[in-house]
Amino acid sequence: MKATMHDANFPKDSSGAVYHIGVKPGEVANRIVTCGDPIRLRRFATFLDPSPKPFELVSSRGYTTITGCYKGVPISLIAIGMGVAMVDFLVREVRAVVSGDLAIVRFGSCGSLSPELPVGSIGVPRNAMTISTNYAHFHGDESLPPYVFSPPISSDPKLHQVLVSTLDSAVASSTCKICPTELHASADCFYSSQGRIDPQFKDDNADFVPQLLDAAPEVKSLEMETAHLFHLASVARHAKISAAACHMIFADRVGQEFIDPLVVAELEPKVGRACLDAIISFPLSDEALHPEEGSVWEI
Ligand code: R1P
Ligand code: URA
């Protein structure tokens, strides 16, 4: 941390930059494509218009923000790392520095619980639920369930539809199916609360997948951030946040296959470009950054 922060409740420095992402007003667009991995982000950042020159910031907390134009429309690409906390900082701190409505598309990776979602295909969930470690089970009362499943939380139906049709026309192939699904689940961990067995820990998850499918038979895939993104969009006050997500299937959690890195390298730019095309075609009523006003973000 370099600058002095003001306001312990919502820390910002004297330029208005937020504590963890490091951006200030004028440096983030109303349309955002987010992913975990900064290398993935850079694979599709190359599609941004060369002018105005994109703004770029890597924060000390591991966020990479690139803001520029795509086909003339202001857009931000933000890599966040992993987990609920990181997506929470993303949505809240971006909300604090951008006025007007926000549209956010998450482009992630996930594990599949269903043969309908083979490795190398793309899941596009309409709804997502959360899976949380129930600490009360481990540190109080073992009769309580070790993991808590939330009800489903909806994506923005219009943004979901735009994303499905863009992926269908730009990415679908004989080896890459685009699979809209009813329900996805986001867990607070990669291992225990996604049902991975780790003999080094008492995770009480031997029957995790059957229990999850019993509680939520429609769930087809598992990752770590999407449901919290949908949650924050659904509880946003004042201006609207529209959120949708697509996930590359990296892991077959039934057959144990894991994706080949060459397939990832081929898929990422295609899916990333489709996310950019989808988000610029989504109607937003109120946008703060206008490229014709000069490159607010140019440094
Ligand atoms: C785990 O390997 C990470 O991959 C998935 C999970 O949600 C978690 O963040 O998403 P990303 O590929 O976007 O990072
Ligand atoms: N990301 C996850 O969170 N889980 C998987 O199985 C694969 C990617």
Side-chain angles (χ1 to χ4, degrees):
M1 190 177 102
K2 289 192 208 109
T4 304
M5 292 287 147
H6 307 282
D7 186 356
N9 181 65
F10 207 111
K12 289 182 187 169
D13 70 14
S14 48
S15 74
V18 284
Y19 186 24
H20 305 91
I21 307 191
V23 288
K24 58 181 182 291
E27 293 176 343
V28 179
N30 296 71
R31 297 165 195 272
I32 297 163
V33 174
T34 179
C35 67
D37 181 350
I39 295 172
R40 180 178 310 151
L41 191 84
R42 290 186 188 283
R43 282 193 172 135
F44 54 86
T46 57
F47 300 135
L48 293 180
D49 303 343
S51 173
K53 185 170 174 279
F55 159 86
E56 187 173 324
L57 182 74
V58 178
S59 84
S60 59
R61 295 295 186 158
Y63 289 86
T64 301
T65 302
I66 302 178
T67 296
C69 281
Y70 177 66
K71 300 183 179 173
V73 179
I75 181 169
S76 288
L77 312 177
I78 309 184
I80 66 167
M82 294 179 278
V84 168
M86 295 301 270
V87 75
D88 194 79
F89 287 126
L90 167 78
V91 179
R92 292 180 191 274
E93 293 194 357
V94 159
R95 175 68 292 168
V97 296
V98 180
S99 53
D101 293 346
L102 289 169
I104 306 178
V105 167
R106 166 163 157 73
F107 167 25
S109 63
C110 73
S112 165
L113 295 171
S114 160
E116 286 167 43
L117 289 180
V119 168
S121 62
I122 313 291
V124 198
R126 256 180 285 276
N127 304 288
M129 58 187 276
T130 65
I131 302 171
S132 313
T133 303
N134 189 2
Y135 294 92
H137 164 92
F138 295 96
H139 306 290
D141 181 353
E142 282 218 352
S143 70
L144 296 170
Y147 301 97
V148 177
F149 306 136
S150 82
I153 309 158
S154 172
S155 62
D156 182 280
K158 283 199 189 113
L159 189 54
H160 171 266
Q161 194 43 53
V162 170
L163 190 56
V164 170
S165 50
T166 314
L167 287 163
D168 258 335
S169 55
V171 182
S173 72
S174 56
T175 52
C176 180
K177 286 201 305 169
I178 307 304
C179 312
T181 64
E182 210 41 49
L183 186 58
H184 167 83
S186 301
D188 57 1
C189 301
F190 181 83
Y191 293 100
S192 55
S193 56
Q194 290 187 33
R196 289 187 160 92
I197 304 302
D198 179 354
Q200 301 294 338
F201 296 90
K202 178 187 173 305
D203 290 321
D204 292 347
N205 66 351
D207 298 321
F208 176 88
V209 172
Q211 280 164 0
L212 171 63
L213 292 174
D214 192 42
E218 287 183 310
V219 72
K220 296 282 189 293
S221 48
L222 288 165
E223 54 71 84
M224 297 174 62
E225 296 85 11
T226 290
H228 194 67
L229 170 63
F230 292 179
H231 162 69
L232 286 176
S234 77
V235 298
R237 285 186 167 143
H238 312 307
K240 188 170 180 201
I241 302 179
S242 306
C246 61
H247 309 116
M248 296 176 286
I249 314 304
F250 269 25
D252 172 355
R253 294 298 312 289
V254 181
Q256 306 306 332
E257 178 188 357
F258 208 88
I259 198 164
D260 182 330
L262 293 175
V263 175
V264 180
E266 193 198 321
L267 269 182
E268 279 179 340
K270 287 188 198 160
V271 179
R273 192 192 271 278
C275 291
L276 300 187
D277 280 318
I279 206 151
I280 65 162
S281 64
F282 182 70
L284 264 188
S285 56
D286 183 13
E287 276 179 84
L289 282 181
H290 299 285
E292 67 275 12
E293 280 169 8
S295 39
V296 204
W297 56 80
E298 205 164 348
I299 48 172

